[in-house]
Amino acid sequence: MDTPTLARASTGTRKLRVGVGQLASGMYVVELDRPWLDTPFLLEGFLVDSPIELETLRRYCRYVYVDPDRSDPTLARRIRDAELADAPLVASPRRSETTVRLELPKRSGEARQERRASPAPKARADARVSSETRERFRRFVRATAVAGESLQAPAGVLGRTAGWLRRWMAADDRDPVAWQQRSLQAVHDLLPPGTRVVRHPDPQPFAEAMPAARAAIARAGHATEALYEAVRDGRDAPVGPLHESVTLLVAAMIANPDAPAWAARVGGAASRDTRHALTVALHLLAVGRSIGLDRETLRALATIGLLADAGKARLPRALLEKPGMLSASEHTIVKEHVRLGLEAVERSGPLAAEVRAGVAQHHERLDGSGYPKGLQGEEISFWGRLAAIADSFAALVSPRPYAEALAPQEAMMSLYEWAGNSFDEALVEQFVQAIGIFPVGSIVELSSGEIAVVIGHNRIRRLEPRVLAISDAAREPLGAPVPRELPSLHRGSPPDALRVARGLPASAFDLGRIDLTAFMPGRDVA
């Protein structure tokens, strides 16, 4: 039988791991054992208050985490008593767990009234990843940075990198270059037989690539918006213009992966649905280019991203934006968007097999907990596995009516937390490498206290992106954004050297107050 387990989240918040068989009314659930977006519970963090909620949690989860301080006061006292008895608190239940058996109390009407009077704020429990996962992610980032320098640096840098590699290998007993090659090979092994792998040219200069990127983003945005409107109205979907725009999008991504991402950030689509579709398509293209897929395969990936959520245009907006738990019938309706989208698009003609698989499977999960078919493991195609990661990441970093956006690094760590259960681990690693630890268009805080926006990756020094400062150290907006050069950091760098201190969620700074169009070369392109 499952037993409750005490744990401490990385933020210092206490949480209690409880098997679903021991869940009871009065427990405040803060985290699930799977992405919230894969369940009917759209509002992350809630007080279990009905048999329906209990039944739903037991149907979707094996265990959950509860916050003892927001739960029934009697349960909270019992947890505090266990702590006073020196019951060890561990960071992650996957390693050495100490279990504390608790007799679950009945919930009083007084406690129910008190809890309802003080609702918890909307917060993403997705971000509450274990300290084990955070450490794994840090090691991955460090390995990626070391491998990037050793594989791509010019000869003059290799001497410095060699010492770094030796220190890494002595500390970790893993060669980061060999690790990166093994990770890439694991992804190539997932590709369907006959898939071509090519070497794409080095990126064009950013300014040279921007005019074509801007034109491609504009065409793709218009074509996607028109297709979604047709699906919403029950008309035949205009797939032809979308396919034409995909050709331009792929060419722009091959020319310079940063350029279309920046063009979408500055002058992208107006509607949230189209922005999400473009974001997913660009993430899929970035991964496809990074692992060496040819143009035709990249076209399929971009099409998957643009079409994956087309069926949501047929659903009531109020249902998609509903806070709290969806009823069983409402969740069933939401899951129908996969079928509705495929039916609407294929009225104009059949989709390529890989495109259809990616759209049909972008909500399937490796452990069988996804939908619409509950596929498991090898039943899910490469296209569906990669689309699931890109779609989930784009959702996590975007503000939603029922949840705040995560900083990209928190979203990436959430993907890591779910890797192996929901997502393919090697694909998650390649996804993070391709879009970057600090994705283009994301907001970061510099060590100077300034807020900056990322405009490009450093292909050699992965942790030192190209940025524009958009505020001073007091977070007051600058009259015009200012490029900031991040120096090459290495052992012996001064402690006050300018660097990225941390990534921030999209809501941390209102980019609408800053004119970024000066960094859009080719603005006159139609």
Side-chain angles (χ1 to χ4, degrees):
M1 177 182 293
D2 290 323
T3 56
T5 303
L6 289 173
R8 185 177 300 278
S10 60
T11 58
T13 301
R14 290 184 303 168
K15 58 181 181 178
L16 172 70
R17 185 189 184 198
V18 179
V20 292
Q22 293 198 12
L23 275 176
S25 291
M27 290 186 174
Y28 194 95
V29 176
V30 295
E31 185 176 350
L32 309 180
D33 62 358
R34 64 197 60 253
W36 287 89
L37 293 172
D38 291 349
T39 73
F41 299 100
L42 299 183
L43 182 63
E44 292 93 338
F46 66 97
L47 188 70
V48 177
D49 196 29
S50 73
I52 294 177
E53 290 172 339
L54 280 173
E55 179 185 349
T56 304
L57 284 167
R58 289 166 180 160
R59 186 166 67 248
Y60 281 89
C61 303
R62 296 186 298 273
Y63 61 86
V64 301
Y65 288 94
V66 302
D67 183 340
D69 295 328
R70 296 183 186 178
S71 299
D72 184 279
T74 306
L75 177 59
R77 282 199 300 272
R78 289 173 181 269
I79 293 173
R80 284 194 295 271
D81 290 343
E83 290 177 321
L84 291 174
D86 293 327
L89 295 177
V90 296
S92 170
R94 292 188 178 84
R95 297 301 181 190
S96 58
E97 293 186 343
T98 299
T99 59
V100 181
R101 295 185 179 274
L102 302 175
E103 181 182 350
L104 301 180
K106 294 183 179 180
R107 185 170 172 233
S108 67
E110 182 179 355
R112 182 185 302 112
Q113 194 172 32
E114 176 187 347
R115 295 300 170 183
R116 283 178 176 166
S118 304
K122 290 189 296 184
R124 272 208 135 104
D126 312 64
R128 294 185 176 91
V129 298
S130 67
S131 60
E132 176 192 354
T133 296
R134 290 179 181 273
E135 178 59 27
R136 231 172 17 106
F137 185 75
R138 283 193 292 269
R139 290 158 71 89
F140 163 72
V141 170
R142 185 170 51 164
T144 300
V146 172
E149 287 213 9
S150 62
L151 289 173
Q152 301 184 38
V157 182
L158 288 176
R160 186 182 73 230
T161 304
W164 195 3
L165 277 167
R166 283 193 296 272
R167 289 192 297 276
W168 162 266
M169 293 170 67
D172 191 50
D173 195 30
R174 271 183 21 171
D175 180 347
V177 177
W179 161 82
Q180 189 178 59
Q181 292 170 342
R182 286 195 297 271
S183 177
L184 180 60
Q185 185 59 53
V187 170
H188 285 168
D189 290 343
L190 294 174
L191 295 172
T195 304
R196 291 185 62 224
V197 176
V198 301
R199 182 180 179 84
H200 291 291
D202 291 337
Q204 292 179 0
F206 184 76
E208 293 181 15
M210 273 305 305
R214 179 179 178 273
I217 289 296
R219 287 280 296 274
H222 293 151
T224 304
E225 191 68 40
L227 186 141
Y228 279 35
E229 287 179 0
V231 172
R232 186 178 301 115
D233 297 340
R235 296 181 280 112
D236 288 346
V239 178
L242 185 133
H243 287 323
E244 293 169 5
S245 71
V246 161
T247 299
L248 298 179
L249 210 56
V250 169
M253 179 60 68
I254 291 176
N256 185 315
D258 295 339
W262 181 245
R265 184 67 175 89
V266 177
S271 75
R272 184 168 66 235
D273 292 341
T274 304
R275 284 197 305 272
H276 178 79
L278 275 172
T279 300
V280 175
L282 291 176
H283 288 342
L284 290 173
L285 283 176
V287 178
R289 188 194 193 281
S290 177
I291 66 177
L293 301 182
D294 64 10
R295 284 179 183 262
E296 194 59 32
T297 308
L298 291 178
R299 282 174 50 85
L301 285 177
T303 306
I304 290 169
L306 296 179
L307 294 181
D309 280 344
K312 286 187 176 179
R314 298 296 305 275
L315 302 181
R317 177 59 59 183
L319 181 60
L320 296 175
E321 298 180 353
K322 176 185 176 181
M325 189 185 83
L326 297 176
S327 67
S329 59
E330 288 171 335
H331 196 221
T332 298
I333 292 172
V334 169
K335 291 190 288 187
E336 281 292 287
H337 82 269
V338 177
R339 177 185 62 82
L340 292 172
L342 285 171
E343 288 180 355
V345 172
E346 291 196 314
R347 281 202 296 268
S348 300
L351 294 170
E354 59 270 28
V355 173
R356 194 180 202 288
V359 174
Q361 298 171 0
H362 75 283
H363 281 293
E364 301 288 359
R365 301 294 183 257
L366 292 182
D367 61 2
S369 63
Y371 64 85
K373 294 186 177 180
L375 301 179
Q376 291 182 309
E378 294 182 358
E379 294 176 329
I380 307 173
S381 68
F382 168 84
W383 321 105
R385 296 183 188 205
L386 184 53
I389 294 169
D391 180 70
S392 295
F393 180 82
L396 289 173
V397 299
S398 301
R400 295 296 177 100
Y402 46 80
E404 297 175 356
L406 296 183
Q409 295 73 45
E410 294 292 333
M412 290 173 186
M413 282 188 280
S414 292
L415 294 180
Y416 255 66
E417 183 81 358
W418 305 322
N421 292 323
S422 293
F423 306 123
D424 185 275
E425 185 167 0
L427 276 177
V428 168
E429 291 178 345
Q430 292 301 316
F431 179 86
V432 174
Q433 286 199 84
I435 70 167
I437 306 302
F438 306 109
V440 173
S442 63
I443 302 173
V444 296
E445 181 180 345
L446 303 181
S447 57
S448 61
E450 297 168 298
I451 304 300
V453 60
V454 177
I455 63 171
H457 294 149
N458 187 321
R459 303 295 166 184
I460 297 175
R461 302 190 304 274
R462 305 288 179 86
L463 302 182
E464 298 154 27
R466 296 166 51 225
V467 301
L468 295 174
I470 54 178
S471 87
D472 59 21
R475 295 203 173 189
E476 290 297 320
L478 299 177
V482 179
R484 286 282 186 263
E485 183 69 26
L486 300 183
S488 176
L489 298 178
H490 53 85
R491 189 170 185 175
S493 295
D496 59 349
L498 189 64
R499 66 188 186 280
V500 174
R502 60 178 178 137
L504 298 174
S507 58
F509 193 90
D510 182 9
L511 280 180
R513 297 182 290 173
I514 304 296
D515 181 12
L516 297 173
T517 56
F519 295 88
M520 282 284 287
R523 286 187 298 165
D524 57 336
V525 177

